[in-house]
């Protein structure tokens, strides 16, 4: 069995950021990197204990280069860097599943901790086929194009609920309960690590119940931008995009990987 553990930062235990800042600019950033490393390590250790022959840890927050790589289980391989050919670097149809660690809720999520979709400063929302989506559903669909299922998601309670909306078969761990964009009641970091280990172990033992996720195709991608000029630039510079209103653009794709 082979797996990829995809690691973001906003959804790990005790990370809430700071008002009017991205997480990268927040005093929480260094802790987020350390905790994300520990949570990813817990997931990897559980996968190896269940018989995995390869586990790739994919550092996918922002421009990558976030995790403390030498503190991961030494059996891990590590995908790091930017501009991959496919959204999931190293993934092929020989993998049994993927795991999402530290993911966060989509835009427009009430009390979702650090909720956004790819960029908190660029986008108000993204929709696929008229339904608002975030990075959880998008990354699940991108893995699903290759035929690989998401088996586990760790996020705040809003993020895990969002994950189950699209992927009802998965195992989840809520690392914290969101009380606002920058407010939560969190599990102690060590308890979150232990819960993730147990949750991933349970997910692997249910691997036969997991299914690749996909959107109905062809699909309509709609993006609402936070600035009018960003929407205008997309329509002017890329073929096929249309303005829905001054802030909103849309385009039909045969498959999601044509955009991501």
């Amino acid at each position: 069995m082979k797996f990829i553990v995809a690691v973001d930062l906003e959804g790990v235990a005790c990370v809430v950021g700071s008002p009017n800042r991205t997480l990268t600019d927040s005093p929480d950033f260094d802790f987020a990197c350390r905790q994300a490393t520990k949570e990813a390590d817990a997931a990897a250790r559980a996968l190896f204990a269940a018989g995995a022959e390869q586990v790739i840890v994919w550092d996918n927050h922002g421009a990558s280069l976030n995790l403390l790589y030498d503190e991961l289980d030494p059996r891990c391989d590590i995908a790091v860097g930017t501009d991959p050919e496919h959204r999931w670097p190293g993934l092929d149809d020989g993998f049994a599943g993927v795991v999402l660690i530290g993911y966060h809720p989509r835009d427009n999520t009430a009390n979702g901790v650090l909720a956004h979709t790819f960029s908190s400063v660029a986008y108000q929302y993204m929709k696929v086929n008229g339904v608002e989506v975030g990075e959880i559903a998008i990354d699940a669909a991108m893995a699903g194009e290759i035929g690989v299922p998401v088996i586990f998601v760790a996020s705040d309670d809003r993020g895990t609920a969002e994950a189950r909306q699209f992927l009802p078969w998965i195992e989840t761990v809520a690392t914290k309960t969101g009380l606002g964009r920058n407010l939560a009641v969190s599990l102690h970091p060590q308890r979150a690590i232990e819960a993730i280990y147990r949750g991933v172990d349970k997910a692997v033992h249910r691997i036969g119940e997991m299914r690749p996720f996909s959107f109905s195709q062809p699909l309509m991608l709609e993006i609402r931008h936070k600035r009018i000029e960003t929407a205008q630039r997309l329509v002017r510079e890329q073929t096929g995009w249309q303005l829905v209103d001054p802030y909103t653009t849309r385009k039909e794709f045969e498959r999601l990987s044509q955009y991501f």
Side-chain angles (χ1 to χ4, degrees):
M1 296 188 295
K2 300 191 294 183
F3 298 89
I4 293 185
V5 178
V7 190
D8 209 345
L9 298 187
E10 290 91 347
V12 302
C14 289
V15 168
V16 293
S18 300
N20 303 315
R21 296 185 184 185
T22 64
L23 178 59
T24 305
D25 298 324
S26 166
D28 231 2
F29 180 70
D30 288 343
F31 174 80
C33 293
R34 294 195 306 274
Q35 181 65 15
T37 302
K38 294 176 182 178
E39 293 185 13
D41 178 72
R45 287 188 289 107
L47 293 168
F48 283 122
E53 62 189 62
Q54 183 185 28
V55 176
I56 298 174
V57 174
W58 172 31
D59 183 345
N60 74 1
H61 175 80
S64 195
L65 305 176
N66 304 291
L67 304 182
L68 308 177
Y69 308 117
D70 58 344
E71 295 186 12
L72 292 168
D73 188 298
R75 293 171 290 181
C76 293
D77 296 321
I78 302 164
V80 62
T82 58
D83 299 324
E85 182 177 359
H86 186 273
R87 172 73 184 160
W88 284 89
L91 186 67
D92 60 39
D93 61 6
F95 280 72
V98 296
V99 169
L100 310 186
I101 297 293
Y103 273 59
H104 51 79
R106 64 192 168 209
D107 278 311
N108 298 327
T109 300
N111 292 333
V113 179
L114 293 166
H116 66 282
T117 302
F118 290 109
S119 172
S120 59
V121 298
Y123 309 123
Q124 184 171 334
Y125 66 68
M126 291 186 180
K127 292 182 179 180
V128 174
N129 296 335
V131 177
E132 287 194 34
V133 297
E135 293 165 45
I136 293 171
I138 288 169
D139 280 353
M142 291 295 291
E145 281 193 14
I146 301 173
V148 180
V150 173
I151 66 171
F152 176 88
V153 174
S155 180
D156 74 2
D157 62 320
R158 270 55 174 190
T160 55
E162 178 183 326
R164 289 191 298 271
Q165 173 189 349
F166 293 97
L167 317 166
W169 51 85
I170 60 169
E171 293 291 333
T172 64
V173 165
T175 58
K176 54 201 172 192
T177 299
L179 302 177
R181 179 175 173 78
N182 300 109
L183 181 65
V185 174
S186 177
L187 295 179
H188 184 281
Q190 185 58 40
R191 284 170 47 220
I193 291 164
E194 293 166 357
I196 287 168
Y197 184 97
R198 293 191 301 270
V200 171
D201 177 72
K202 186 175 180 181
V204 176
H205 286 91
R206 294 182 52 238
I207 196 77
E209 302 172 39
M210 306 298 176
R211 303 198 303 270
F213 171 72
S214 64
F215 296 109
S216 297
Q217 298 175 335
L219 56 87
M220 182 66 70
L221 176 62
E222 180 176 301
I223 302 175
R224 185 165 180 84
H225 306 263
K226 290 194 173 179
R227 298 187 64 87
I228 289 175
E229 58 266 38
T230 308
Q232 292 175 339
R233 189 179 306 116
L234 180 62
V235 170
R236 291 170 181 171
E237 295 179 359
Q238 296 194 30
T239 303
W241 285 94
Q242 300 176 328
L243 279 176
V244 179
D245 60 46
Y247 287 91
T248 309
T249 59
R250 69 182 177 194
K251 181 178 178 178
E252 185 175 273
F253 293 90
E254 289 298 318
R255 58 189 184 278
L256 201 60
S257 58
Q258 291 177 320
Y259 181 76
F260 291 100

